[in-house]
Amino acid sequence: MNSEYNNPEPEETDDELYEHHKFVADKGQQPLRVDKYLMNYIEGATRNKIQTAAKDGNIYVNEVAVKSNYKVKPGDVVQVMFEHPPYEFLLTPENIPLDIVYEDDALLVVNKPAGMVVHPGHGNYSGTLINALIYHIDNLPQNSSERPGLVHRIDKDTSGLLVVAKTEQAMTKLSKQFFDKSSEREYVAIVWGNVEEDEGTVEGNIGRHPKNRLQNTVYLGDDEDKGKPAVTHFKVLERLGYVTLLSCKLETGRTHQIRVHMKHIGHTLFNDERYGGERILKGTTFTKYKQFVENCFKILPRQALHAKTLGFKHPVSGEWMSFDTPIPEDMQECIEKWRNYSKNQKEVIE
């Protein structure tokens, strides 16, 4: 959030300060150094950068600048303040090639490669999809988060389809479809373990993990009000021994939804580092198997998730539009390796 901060002001300057991060410590917060506390909350931050910010007087607790050894207590308001606006508000057009699947006067559909961040944020201020979009298209409309053109988003290391609005009318009508759950989104995922049911539905409110703020988790029962409703429908496409290839259709669009829901039912995404899928979660203890999995990780150095199909009504014509994109090469190669491994295992057993 871009906000002016006037009280107190550093004695040596009259320049305004901008809030880059703000957190309120939970009631159950145990005393914890502010640098360690911020490490748990700010994605991509390093201890050294946080300590430097504190040394420079840029970390405030309850509107007072503190050193890095300050102990955060329940109810403390922790802010990181700088004299420049957050970089995500200083958008710079960049000539980055885009894989445009479809484009007209109202919208475009982009096939985003894995590794590309969708919008600027902490630690990723250039090379994003938005940097590319504002280079190619003038006057993109802002969404409710002031991000040009974005109707929805996918994670940095997830590949696949995104629709981008080019006009205010398109932004409004497309956003409403996603809100009303009338758009269609299908993902392909490789998950750990043999998913026994041929198809099923995962329901569970999703919210921030109470201990690891870079993760989300499922809240059920008395705690469900801590999250937002989320529904994922899955179908088995192929069983590959110790992993399963799934089709996942989103009814809602929560952050990390498929990643969180699959972990919740015991089938973490393959090589999903944030949620523990970069470890060998299923299989044997044989050295050859470990080497095989490591080779798969090298081939697919990201979570095994691809936004394969996308469907929605055109915001002007009302015509139903459906788009499909092939599974990318890194993921396809990983699938083939598991397919061959699974086949060889069956032949040995039989």
Side-chain angles (χ1 to χ4, degrees), residues 267-295:
H267 296 289
T268 303
L269 261 65
F270 186 78
N271 210 9
D272 188 348
E273 183 176 0
R274 181 164 297 186
Y275 289 93
E278 86 287 9
R279 301 190 299 274
I280 297 176
L281 299 182
K282 299 289 180 182
T284 73
T285 57
F286 297 132
T287 303
K288 281 188 176 181
Y289 174 72
K290 290 181 180 178
Q291 186 60 56
F292 165 77
V293 175
E294 289 298 327
N295 288 338

Side-chain angles (χ1 to χ4, degrees), residues 251-262:
E251 192 171 306
T252 53
R254 308 303 175 201
T255 301
H256 299 171
Q257 179 171 317
I258 293 173
R259 301 165 70 183
V260 173
H261 270 173
M262 290 301 107

Side-chain angles (χ1 to χ4, degrees), residues 24-170:
V24 180
D26 296 333
K27 291 180 181 178
Q29 177 66 49
Q30 297 295 316
L32 182 68
R33 284 175 58 115
V34 70
D35 52 355
K36 290 185 177 180
Y37 177 85
L38 289 172
M39 281 286 291
N40 293 332
Y41 282 75
I42 303 176
E43 184 174 359
T46 64
R47 185 95 176 267
N48 183 54
K49 284 183 180 178
I50 291 171
Q51 289 178 336
T52 300
K55 186 178 179 182
D56 294 341
N58 296 123
I59 295 179
Y60 289 74
V61 177
N62 304 326
E63 301 190 348
V64 176
V66 298
K67 299 299 182 185
S68 58
N69 63 354
Y70 173 89
K71 297 288 182 68
V72 177
K73 300 180 293 296
D76 276 352
V77 178
V78 183
Q79 293 168 290
V80 181
M81 316 287 291
F82 290 104
E83 292 176 15
H84 60 83
Y87 288 117
E88 55 262 43
F89 293 98
L90 304 175
L91 296 173
T92 304
E94 295 179 37
N95 186 10
I96 301 168
L98 289 173
D99 182 2
I100 298 174
V101 177
Y102 172 85
E103 183 173 12
D104 61 25
D105 291 341
L107 60 88
L108 71 155
V109 176
V110 178
N111 184 19
K112 185 190 82 68
M116 175 182 266
V117 177
V118 171
H119 58 76
H122 186 82
N124 295 291
Y125 302 121
S126 65
T128 74
L129 180 65
I130 283 186
N131 293 115
L133 288 171
I134 61 176
Y135 178 90
H136 291 285
I137 306 165
D138 293 329
N139 303 317
L140 282 171
Q142 303 276 337
N143 67 11
S144 58
S145 301
E146 298 184 1
R147 287 167 178 157
L150 289 191
V151 177
H152 61 126
R153 59 178 290 271
I154 56 179
D155 298 326
K156 172 188 175 183
D157 289 326
T158 299
S159 54
L161 295 171
L162 284 165
V163 60
V164 176
K166 293 172 69 174
T167 68
E168 294 286 352
Q169 180 193 27

